[in-house]
Amino acid sequence: MRLGVLDVGSNSLHLLVVDAHRGAHPTPMHDDSWLLRLSEHVGDDGRLSKAGEKALLHAVQQAKRQAADRHCDELLAFVTSAIREADNGSAVLRRVREQTGVDLQVLSGEDEARLTFLAVRRWFGWSAGRLLVLDIGGGSLELATGVDEDPDVALSVPLGAGRMTRRFLPQAQTGGRPDLAALDALAEHADDVLASPGRKLRGAGAPDLVAATSKTFRTLARLAGAAPYAAGLRVPRELTDIGLSQVIGFVSRIESAALAELQGVSVQRAHQVPAGAVVAQAAMRAVDVPCVRICPWALREGVILRRLDQLEGA
């Protein structure tokens, strides 16, 4: 069957269309995204602005049209932290449903962690043994570990790259250079937030494989020398703590406008790279691992795989 996945994150709305059936590799047929930066449209009052809602409505309408043009049998649509945490999130989702016919489901942070874990497990297989997965989004950081397809521990903490940029490095949002003292403050904050989750994850058992997914980790690995995206999904990529330290030393001394000109760095997310790098380092430190393997599958693939399991009665 042909499935469409509509993922409304803190930074962008992403549409992925795949041909898939249970037991087979989902084959991507179409991929598109719309930059929304919804988290930046949430004001001090905790509400998503009218401009943010208008941008969301327009993008959902376009994505729905593209899914229909590609004859999707089903459209799986969900939202993550930006809408989940907005005080008027439920009202916004109701209006989106009324005006577009798309019912956006709210995923909890734990849901995100579990579905991403499923995708990474299927990618690496059972030979990976005990798996530990790290996933940095725009609004939150998800962590999970386990030996099966459903993790023993699944956690979400508010350490997304976009959220931390707005809180600690606002000058990066306008193309400037990160403040070194602010980076140190961010590192200290991330260590504090991850202290308890780190103990829970380490207490679950030593991992045989530590994997990281998300645009942030892929960008950091590329800056540390990993193969470019054009080399193919199956080319092994990793990020070491030494390589990450070198990346942090570099990105903390360069304007985000200049960083955006480098290969492997998204222009739209360049300003989030320093904060993402500090959070990544704190996450690796919290679980005491020197290296992570980069996995190309993440939340969207996990949603697809779970839906296929449900359709087959698994």
Side-chain angles (χ1 to χ4, degrees):
M1 65 184 305
R2 177 161 291 186
L3 290 175
V5 177
L6 186 58
D7 172 6
V8 180
S10 297
N11 285 310
S12 62
L13 181 151
H14 201 115
L15 173 67
L16 174 64
V17 176
V18 301
D19 282 346
H21 63 271
R22 181 167 166 77
H25 184 288
T27 303
M29 303 302 294
H30 178 71
D31 196 331
D32 202 355
S33 62
W34 293 259
L35 183 65
L36 301 179
R37 291 180 178 164
L38 291 179
S39 56
E40 297 180 13
H41 285 284
V42 177
D44 294 337
D45 60 356
R47 297 174 63 84
L48 182 69
S49 68
K50 288 295 184 181
E53 180 177 340
K54 182 178 179 181
L56 173 61
L57 279 166
H58 180 65
V60 169
Q61 289 169 338
Q62 288 188 305
K64 180 184 178 181
R65 189 177 305 115
Q66 288 191 13
D69 290 343
R70 284 154 183 83
H71 308 292
C72 288
D73 297 297
E74 187 174 358
L75 182 62
L76 310 172
F78 61 90
V79 298
T80 54
S81 63
I83 301 295
R84 182 172 68 226
E85 297 173 8
D87 289 343
N88 60 337
S90 297
V92 169
L93 294 182
R94 184 182 66 251
R95 288 191 288 271
V96 169
R97 182 172 61 251
E98 291 171 349
Q99 296 182 44
T100 70
V102 176
D103 188 11
L104 290 166
Q105 299 296 308
V106 179
L107 291 185
S108 69
E110 183 177 322
D111 289 337
E112 288 188 61
R114 290 185 178 281
L115 289 166
T116 300
F117 184 90
L118 171 63
V120 177
R121 168 61 75 192
R122 294 276 178 94
W123 180 267
F124 286 113
W126 295 112
S127 63
R130 174 168 285 278
L131 187 62
L132 173 60
V133 178
L134 311 176
D135 177 17
I136 300 175
S140 59
L141 162 68
E142 277 68 51
L143 313 96
T145 186
V147 295
D148 298 319
E149 290 197 334
D150 192 45
D152 304 325
V153 180
L155 304 167
S156 178
V157 293
L159 288 175
R163 184 194 297 266
M164 294 299 97
T165 297
R166 292 189 301 279
R167 177 171 174 180
F168 289 93
L169 307 170
Q171 67 277 16
Q173 293 180 279
T174 56
R177 181 181 302 178
D179 179 83
L180 296 181
L183 283 173
D184 290 340
L186 168 55
E188 184 177 349
H189 172 72
D191 285 340
D192 289 343
V193 172
L194 286 166
S196 177
R199 286 192 293 269
K200 290 180 182 178
L201 292 162
R202 294 194 305 273
D208 298 297
L209 175 65
V210 183
T213 185
S214 73
K215 180 67 173 179
T216 295
F217 268 113
R218 291 196 298 272
T219 298
L220 295 173
R222 181 71 183 100
L223 289 173
Y229 181 80
L233 295 181
R234 291 175 176 78
V235 174
R237 296 173 176 86
E238 65 179 27
L239 177 64
T240 66
D241 55 358
I242 295 175
L244 182 54
S245 293
Q246 293 172 338
V247 169
I248 292 175
F250 172 67
V251 301
S252 64
R253 290 168 173 80
I254 183 174
E255 290 81 5
S256 58
L259 185 59
E261 298 177 3
L262 299 180
Q263 289 187 351
V265 179
S266 166
V267 173
Q268 295 86 355
R269 301 193 188 202
H271 64 289
Q272 297 182 8
V273 171
V278 171
V279 170
Q281 187 177 58
M284 291 173 66
R285 187 163 52 238
V287 294
D288 193 23
V289 297
C291 179
V292 295
R293 289 275 302 276
I294 305 301
C295 179
W297 278 7
L299 177 59
R300 286 184 288 275
E301 287 78 12
V303 170
I304 291 168
L305 294 167
R306 177 60 53 82
R307 181 56 178 151
L308 290 173
D309 288 348
Q310 292 171 343
L311 290 172
E312 294 294 333

